Amino acid sequence: MQLVGQFISTVGWLGLALIGSELGATLIYDLGQWLGYRLIGARVVQIAGFRYQLSRVQGHWRWQHPLTSYPHLVAEPAADTTRFNYAVACFGGGLFSLLVVVLSLVTLGQFTLSFNLWLLAFIIWIWVNTLKVGQLLPMILHGRPTAALNFRTAHESAAAMTAAYVTERAQALQIKTGRVADLPAAMIVLPQGGGNQNYLVVRQAWLVLVWGLQHGLAMPDLLTGLSRLEPSFDKLPPVDLAQYLDATLYWNLMANHLSPQILGWYRDTGVQQLLQRYAPLTNYKLRAVYAWRVDQQPALAQTLIKQGLKAAQRTQNVTEVDWLQALQTQIEAS
């Protein structure tokens, strides 16, 4: 009890109200997401929290401690594409949070208001749930698009809606098996007319790259497909931009394409900050291949690979383990 008292005195009652509100609102949002997924036949395969997550790996639920995380659920859409309702997937949690906000406001109106600590705590509760309606705060802080932006972007074209479905299937498969190689070939083919500025299509293009690597496609073909994408950087959410830059830089450095543009991107301070924040796991192999190809420091590269392997194995990311081990083998053989 003394420890609890010290914690409250340090954080303060309002700080405690903020922490409790955030945890409670997150649970409510996740419950709404879960119900929405059930309605469209999707199965939850990951429950992520603040730096910890529970994932269904190889048929078993396992605790994981990733390098970065934010509260959300990941679900595998039904194989029947007609059951895929992206509106429900995007707004299931938000609708639940909106209901809580409405009920809280109604409850607030039933009492005679006097300015005190309890009123401030209740206002904090309403405000945090209001942010959760659109997953505004966690999405913005973690560089991810809000549910509303995802929904609007998916409806820009049929290709974008297809990309939304395919990438959700791929994300679930990556969690379950550590790879995306088991996706049918027809599912990873980029549809026509999607536009290279639609970030959902960019996500699917990244999936094509990963799938192709896991099926042993030739490096020149993969690099050609990657450079053909050329997305508009100002239209990509930070998470997608980091993923695109990481792939472009890494596979060009692997192929020893040390062009001024590639080296300039890598050395750019803004790019480095973006990669370290939004792609911390994949950044290990990027730094390692740069140390090997450009700085001619294979020992440093091996150290970075070992650190990356430890982080990837902690979250059962088999894809990243495979790539790091392949890079390690190439450095040892050089």
CSV table of all heavy atoms in Angstrom, one decimal, residues 37 88 166 183 218 232 241 326 331:
chain,number,residue,atom,x,y,z
A,37,TYR,N,-14.9,-7.4,-36.2
A,37,TYR,CA,-14.2,-8.5,-36.9
A,37,TYR,C,-15.1,-9.8,-36.9
A,37,TYR,O,-15.2,-10.5,-37.9
A,37,TYR,CB,-12.9,-8.8,-36.3
A,37,TYR,CG,-11.8,-7.8,-36.6
A,37,TYR,CD1,-10.9,-7.4,-35.6
A,37,TYR,CD2,-11.7,-7.2,-37.8
A,37,TYR,CE1,-9.9,-6.4,-35.9
A,37,TYR,CE2,-10.7,-6.2,-38.1
A,37,TYR,CZ,-9.9,-5.9,-37.1
A,37,TYR,OH,-8.9,-4.9,-37.4
A,88,VAL,N,-16.6,-1.8,-41.5
A,88,VAL,CA,-16.7,-2.4,-40.2
A,88,VAL,C,-15.3,-2.6,-39.6
A,88,VAL,O,-15.1,-2.4,-38.4
A,88,VAL,CB,-17.5,-3.8,-40.3
A,88,VAL,CG1,-17.4,-4.5,-39.0
A,88,VAL,CG2,-18.9,-3.5,-40.7
A,166,VAL,N,-5.9,-7.7,-49.3
A,166,VAL,CA,-4.7,-8.5,-49.5
A,166,VAL,C,-3.7,-8.3,-48.4
A,166,VAL,O,-3.1,-9.2,-47.8
A,166,VAL,CB,-4.1,-8.3,-50.9
A,166,VAL,CG1,-2.7,-9.0,-51.0
A,166,VAL,CG2,-5.0,-8.8,-51.9
A,183,LEU,N,0.9,-17.1,-49.3
A,183,LEU,CA,-0.2,-16.4,-50.0
A,183,LEU,C,-0.3,-16.9,-51.5
A,183,LEU,O,0.8,-17.1,-52.1
A,183,LEU,CB,0.0,-14.9,-50.0
A,183,LEU,CG,-0.3,-14.2,-48.7
A,183,LEU,CD1,0.1,-12.7,-48.9
A,183,LEU,CD2,-1.8,-14.3,-48.5
A,218,ALA,N,14.4,-13.3,-59.1
A,218,ALA,CA,15.7,-12.7,-59.4
A,218,ALA,C,15.7,-11.3,-58.9
A,218,ALA,O,14.7,-10.5,-59.0
A,218,ALA,CB,15.9,-12.7,-60.9
A,232,SER,N,4.5,9.1,-54.2
A,232,SER,CA,4.7,10.5,-53.8
A,232,SER,C,4.9,10.5,-52.3
A,232,SER,O,4.1,10.2,-51.5
A,232,SER,CB,3.5,11.3,-54.2
A,232,SER,OG,3.6,12.6,-53.7
A,241,LEU,N,6.0,5.2,-45.5
A,241,LEU,CA,7.2,5.8,-46.1
A,241,LEU,C,8.5,5.2,-45.5
A,241,LEU,O,9.4,4.9,-46.3
A,241,LEU,CB,7.2,7.3,-45.7
A,241,LEU,CG,8.4,8.1,-46.3
A,241,LEU,CD1,8.6,7.9,-47.8
A,241,LEU,CD2,8.3,9.6,-45.9
A,326,ALA,N,20.8,-14.5,-44.2
A,326,ALA,CA,21.3,-14.5,-45.6
A,326,ALA,C,22.4,-13.5,-45.8
A,326,ALA,O,23.4,-13.7,-46.5
A,326,ALA,CB,20.1,-14.3,-46.6
A,331,ILE,N,28.2,-11.9,-46.1
A,331,ILE,CA,29.4,-11.1,-45.6
A,331,ILE,C,30.5,-12.1,-45.2
A,331,ILE,O,31.7,-11.8,-45.5
A,331,ILE,CB,28.9,-10.3,-44.3
A,331,ILE,CG1,28.0,-9.2,-44.7
A,331,ILE,CG2,30.2,-9.7,-43.7
A,331,ILE,CD1,27.4,-8.5,-43.6
